[in-house]
Structure formats: C-alpha cells, structure tokens
Amino acid sequence: MIDPMEHYKRNVGPIEHDELDECEIDIENIGWTLGNDCPYRCKHCYSMSARKKGMDFSPEIVDRVIDQVYKNGAKTINLGGNEPLYTNGINPKNSLLPYIIRRLTEKGIDVGLTTSGITLTYLAKYHPEEFMLLNDIDISIDSPYEEEHNENRGANIFPIATKALELCRDHDKDFTIVTCAMSWNFTEDRIRALVDMARKYGSNVRINPFKPIESKHMATKLEPDQYYQGFSLLMSLCDNLDMTEPTLAGITKLKQSKRCPCGRKSFRIHSITPDGKIPVSPCVYLHDYKVGNLVEDELYDIIRSPQFKTFRRRNKHPEYISGCEGCEILSICGGGCAARSYLYNLHQNGGRSLFSRDPYCPKTINPETVFPVNPNMPDDVHLVHQDYLCTWIGRPKNNM
C-alpha cells in the first residue's frame, strides 16, 4: 500500500533524465484548488490527499497568487479541485470566492468553475454579478441516474446539480457536464443517458478518465477495453471539441496533438496548507511533484523547477519511456498521460517514474472499436479546460 500523504513529509516524485532538454514552456491554463473543506465525501476524490483543514485565505494571499499568475501570462483559471465555495471553511459567508472571481477578471483572466452544483447555485442567488463574470462552468455528475450519483457523493445532491444546469441554460452560459469515468459508470447505458442529459440541457460533455491517486482507487479503475469502447461510443454521439487525452489523440491520429499539457501548457495551484503555504504541481493528479510556495516564491522559478522540467523532458523525449521506442504514433501520443502512467506503475509495480508507459497504450491494447481519423477540432470554442489537462470534451449531436 502506498501512503497517499507521503508527499507532505518529503519530496517523493523523482527528478529524471536531467541530461535531456525539454519542450517549450507555454503556460496559459491553470487550475486552482481553492477550498480547505467540503461537505461531501466523493469516493473518487483526487484532492483529498492534497489538502488539510487549517489555514484560511486572506485577501492579501489571494492578491499575491493572482499577481503571480498574471505576471506569468495566465489566460484562463479553473476554480475547482474541491467545492470552490469553501475557501475559508464550511460557512459560505466566509468565502472569498466572489472576491477571487472579481480580481481574476479585472486582470483579464477568463475564469471557469468546476462544481457539484452548490457553488454555482449559491453564486447565482447571493452574488449574481460574479456568477455572470464566469467564462464557463463544469458541473460534476458521476452518473445520470440520481441514486447512483447521490450514493457516490455521499449526499442527496443530484437535484442541486440539475438546478445548476438549469441556471447555466437560462443565463446562456457556456457549460459542460463533467464525469470522472470509472469502471462502474462508464458503461454503454450510462454513457447514452449522460449524452441525452447533456442534449436536454444544451450542455457539452467532458470525460476525465479516473486517475488512481490512492491504492484503493485501483478497484474502480477503467479497464483498457472499456476505455476505448466508451470513447468510441462518445465520438459517435458527439462532435469533438477538445482531445488532450493523449491515447485518444494517438488512436485517432490527431495532427493537432501536442501531447500531455501538464507542466508545458498548464499546472495546478494546490489548496492552502495548515501552515499557510500554497504549493504548485505540474499536474492536478500528481501530488508527488508539488513544489514551492506561491505565498513567498516566484511562480517563474517554480515553473522552472526540477519537478516541472521532468514533465517537459518526458513530453520532448517520449522515446525514453520503456516500451515506446520506435512506435509510429509516439510523436502524437508522447507515451500517453503522464499522471496515469506514473500512478498505475506506482500502484501495480511499486515504482515511481514519470517515464512509464500509459496502461491504455493503443498499440498494446489494439482495440477493435472504430474511431474517426484526425477529427476536426473547432476553433470558435473557448473553454477553460481546453489544453489544461488530459481530458476529452464533446458536444452532443442534434440528429441522434
């Protein structure tokens, strides 16, 4: 068993292949875990092991973080990673979320929000101006079936999610239903029902394949065949909007692919720690690579830390990943998702290496399902999760 809190005690993620050069730095899209508390206990939560209750935000800390991301060229910030309303404990009256939204938009940074629904409904009721400032919203739904969603979230929250969908639709906001794809919810019937739900409300669909942050998560991981069958079905039901999921880019031979965006195009600001530090990591899922303290350190230096450089070396030199040498689609997939590769290797083999091959490698799996070849991606869509992490976004077809 791997201790998911070990990253609090020491540097865990190894620094590898420092003899290699790295890909370009083009940081634009950032995720920010705001909260230090949450009323829900989602079984698949990926931020629980990277946040502890304690210190709250202050306006001064918020200003410091925002000034740093602005100085380094951020264009979008998604507020999520926890229920973002709870920046300062469970009482929403203490939240600095409206202040954060205003300050970011004043800097010209487009703001997105990922929520179970409760943050959005609160904003719409008590802070309508800040609600309207949001560029787009992702509403998390684990299952289109109400009882399953509530059971996985540990609360009767499905009605709040649908209320949030209605608010987005009625206020003409860009919005997306986001699902973390796991073995139990990425089935044909649930995928079809999810797309139908998105079509009903006028929403996009975004799928994050589950990343096993903790050892116990391996019990609900997607099997490779299920992964490809599910996405093949989704691409038959939806028009593609974004495909930064590297193995999907590989199997579709996507010419626009730039491989895994983590540490190259995007990074994650973690929740504030009990002692008042705000660490940063190249990837939202890899807490092992968190580094620095945005309250004191320059973001410019953090982005150029050994932890970030290791991600960019993997992006530039995927031929150093064992089993990827000589593959004809390596220039497209780049060895797959860095987080999934690292975490599967960690939990299955006990090894820590970013230079591991994606367990969903399309050349290894050789799925029989049908995929489009080099699908066209529209250039008139602007969502904060585009080129932010390894994900897939689609829009339900109207003629289905």
Side-chain angles (χ1 to χ4, degrees), residues 102-133:
R102 289 196 307 273
R103 288 284 289 114
L104 286 169
T105 53
E106 287 168 2
K107 291 287 189 180
I109 298 173
D110 291 332
V111 182
L113 185 77
T114 299
T115 173
S116 64
I118 193 167
T119 294
L120 193 75
T121 54
Y122 185 88
L123 282 176
K125 183 175 182 179
Y126 296 104
H127 301 277
E129 292 183 7
E130 287 75 18
F131 166 75
M132 292 306 298
L133 288 175

Side-chain angles (χ1 to χ4, degrees), residues 139-145 148-149 158 161 165 176-182 185-208 230-231 233-234 237-238 392 394-397:
I139 298 161
S140 299
I141 294 182
D142 301 331
S143 171
Y145 306 142
E148 288 186 343
H149 177 78
F158 193 84
L165 293 172
T176 302
I177 293 174
V178 57
T179 294
C180 179
M182 296 169 275
N185 69 354
F186 205 54
T187 61
E188 180 175 351
D189 65 314
R190 291 174 179 84
I191 290 170
R192 289 187 182 277
L194 187 74
V195 173
D196 286 343
M197 185 180 188
R199 187 179 295 111
K200 171 185 174 182
Y201 288 100
S203 167
N204 303 318
V205 177
R206 184 164 68 87
I207 303 295
N208 281 341
F231 277 110
L233 175 59
L234 278 165
L237 299 173
C238 301
W392 175 88
R395 178 178 293 149
K397 295 177 179 178

